[in-house]
Amino acid sequence: MRKRPFLAAIFLLCALTGTWAQESPAPLPRYDFHIDSTTIAIGDQTVLTIRKGPLYPTLDDLSNNDIVAVRQWTDSTDGTLYTALTSFEPGEHWLHVGDDSVLLTVNDVANVDTTTTDIRDIANILRQPYTFWEIFRWVLLGLAVIAVAVAAYLAVKRLKAHKPLIHIPQAPPLPADTKALQALESLRVRQLWQQGKTKEYHTELTDILRNYLEEAYHIQSTEMTSDQTLDAVEASAANVGESLSLLRQVLQTADMVKFAKSEPLPHEHDRSMTNAVNFVHLTAPHPAAAETPADTTPNPTNPS
C-alpha cells in the first residue's frame, strides 16, 4: 500500500517533464551575415547580407517596431540573400538575425535654428545656352523631315503617272533579226523532230518567223494565214527575189504537217531550218529601216 503514493509521484513527474519538453521553443538558427553600415541617417537604408543557409529569414522576421525590412533579393549564383533595411525612429535599435543581434544606430536630422540661419527663397532656374550639337541635331531633324516630304511627293507623283517608284535601267532590246536567229538556233539545238515532235518543231519554226515579220516590218503575220503572210511580204517590195521562195517553203511544209498530218523526210526538216535562217539574213532591216516610224512599212530587200 505504501508503494502507491511513490508510483503516483513518479508518474506525475514524468507527465510534467513531457509537457515542458513539448512546450519549449525550438532553437533559433544561426546565420553567417554582415551589415553594410550599423549607423544610418533616419530614412536611409543599409543592406543586410546573409550567406547561403538552409533557411532564410523573411521580411517579417527582420522587421520590428523600429526597423523595417523594405525588400529582399537573392544572388542566384551563390544563394546569398540581401535585405534592404531602414528606420524612421532615431536612436539605437537591435536587429535580430536568428539567434544573433546587431545594434543599428539611427541618427536624426539636425534641427535648424531659423532665428540665426539665413534662409532664402529657391533660386530661379537658370537657362543654359544651346550647344552646337543641340542645334545641329535639330537641323538634321528638319532636313530629314524635308527629305521624307519630298520623297513622298515624288512617289505620289510617279504613282499617279503609272510609273514605277524605282527606275531600273534596262538593256536595249535586241534587233528583230538577232532575236529571230537566236530563237532558231535554240530550236535547232533542242532537236524536236528527231524526238518525234514534228508538229511542235514546225509550229515553233513558223512562229519565230511570224514574230520576226511583226517586229521588223509590222506585218501582223500571227493573225494571218500562210497565203496572207506571203502576199503581205510580196506586197511590201517590188522585188523580194529568193527570200519569198524561202519563206513559202517553210510555211507550206509547216501547213502540211499541222493540217494534213504529213511526215516530212529528215532532209526536209533541215531544209526548213536552213531556209528560215537564210530568210532572216536576207531580209534583215538596214540601220535606216529601224528608224522608220511605226506607221510605215519598210521594204525587205535582198543584199546586193
Side-chain angles (χ1 to χ4, degrees):
M1 297 296 293
R2 293 180 179 179
K3 293 182 179 180
R4 291 181 179 177
F6 178 75
L7 293 175
I10 293 176
F11 178 78
L12 179 60
L13 180 62
C14 291
L16 292 175
T17 303
T19 302
W20 176 83
Q22 292 177 358
E23 294 179 353
S24 60
L28 298 174
R30 295 185 61 85
Y31 296 104
D32 181 10
F33 71 93
H34 76 273
I35 190 169
D36 289 353
S37 176
T38 58
T39 301
I40 61 174
I42 187 171
D44 285 349
Q45 294 185 3
T46 185
V47 177
L48 173 68
T49 303
I50 300 178
R51 295 179 179 84
K52 184 177 181 180
L55 183 65
Y56 293 112
T58 64
L59 292 176
D60 293 336
D61 295 336
L62 297 174
S63 299
N64 53 45
N65 294 333
D66 301 318
I67 300 175
V68 179
V70 180
R71 60 190 180 93
Q72 288 181 325
W73 65 96
T74 305
D75 187 347
S76 59
T77 58
D78 56 6
T80 303
L81 176 70
Y82 299 93
T83 305
L85 306 171
T86 188
S87 178
F88 301 97
E89 295 292 334
E92 295 181 344
H93 312 295
W94 285 100
L95 173 66
H96 302 289
V97 186
D99 64 346
D100 292 328
S101 298
V102 60
L103 184 62
L104 180 64
T105 302
V106 182
N107 296 324
D108 198 359
V109 178
N111 293 327
V112 178
D113 187 0
T114 58
T115 61
T116 59
T117 303
D118 185 13
I119 300 178
R120 301 178 181 180
D121 293 336
I122 298 175
N124 294 328
I125 298 175
L126 297 179
R127 185 177 297 277
Q128 295 293 329
Y130 289 107
T131 64
F132 168 79
W133 291 111
E134 289 176 333
I135 298 175
F136 184 67
R137 179 177 58 187
W138 286 106
V139 171
L140 286 181
L141 179 61
L143 293 176
V145 171
I146 294 174
V148 171
V150 172
Y153 169 76
L154 295 177
V156 172
K157 186 177 180 180
R158 292 187 67 87
L159 289 175
K160 288 183 177 180
H162 303 287
K163 296 181 180 179
L165 293 178
I166 301 176
H167 175 68
I168 301 176
Q170 299 179 353
L174 293 175
D177 56 316
T178 303
K179 186 187 300 185
L181 292 173
Q182 290 180 354
L184 290 172
E185 177 61 19
S186 175
L187 177 61
R188 185 189 64 81
V189 172
R190 289 162 58 194
Q191 297 184 345
L192 292 181
W193 69 265
Q194 292 90 333
Q195 304 172 26
K197 300 178 180 180
T198 304
K199 183 177 180 180
E200 291 86 343
Y201 171 77
H202 285 277
T203 299
E204 290 193 31
L205 184 62
T206 54
D207 286 344
I208 293 172
L209 294 182
R210 293 177 184 275
N211 291 330
Y212 163 71
L213 290 174
E214 288 191 3
E215 292 186 26
Y217 295 104
H218 310 290
I219 298 175
Q220 302 301 318
S221 178
T222 55
E223 301 175 3
M224 300 178 180
T225 64
S226 297
D227 291 337
Q228 291 173 338
T229 298
L230 293 171
D231 292 340
V233 173
E234 186 176 13
S236 64
N239 181 20
V240 293
E242 182 184 359
S243 62
L244 186 62
S245 62
L246 298 176
L247 179 61
R248 179 178 291 106
Q249 183 275 325
V250 176
L251 295 178
Q252 289 179 349
T253 302
D255 288 343
M256 292 295 295
V257 172
K258 290 187 291 184
F259 303 116
K261 296 183 180 181
S262 174
E263 187 63 35
L265 297 175
H267 74 276
E268 292 179 307
H269 297 303
D270 292 334
R271 181 186 176 190
S272 292
M273 175 62 69
T274 302
N275 288 344
V277 172
N278 291 334
F279 173 78
V280 174
H281 280 300
L282 292 173
T283 59
H286 295 294
E291 301 176 0
T292 304
D295 59 347
T296 61
T297 304
N299 297 330
T301 58
N302 291 324
S304 55

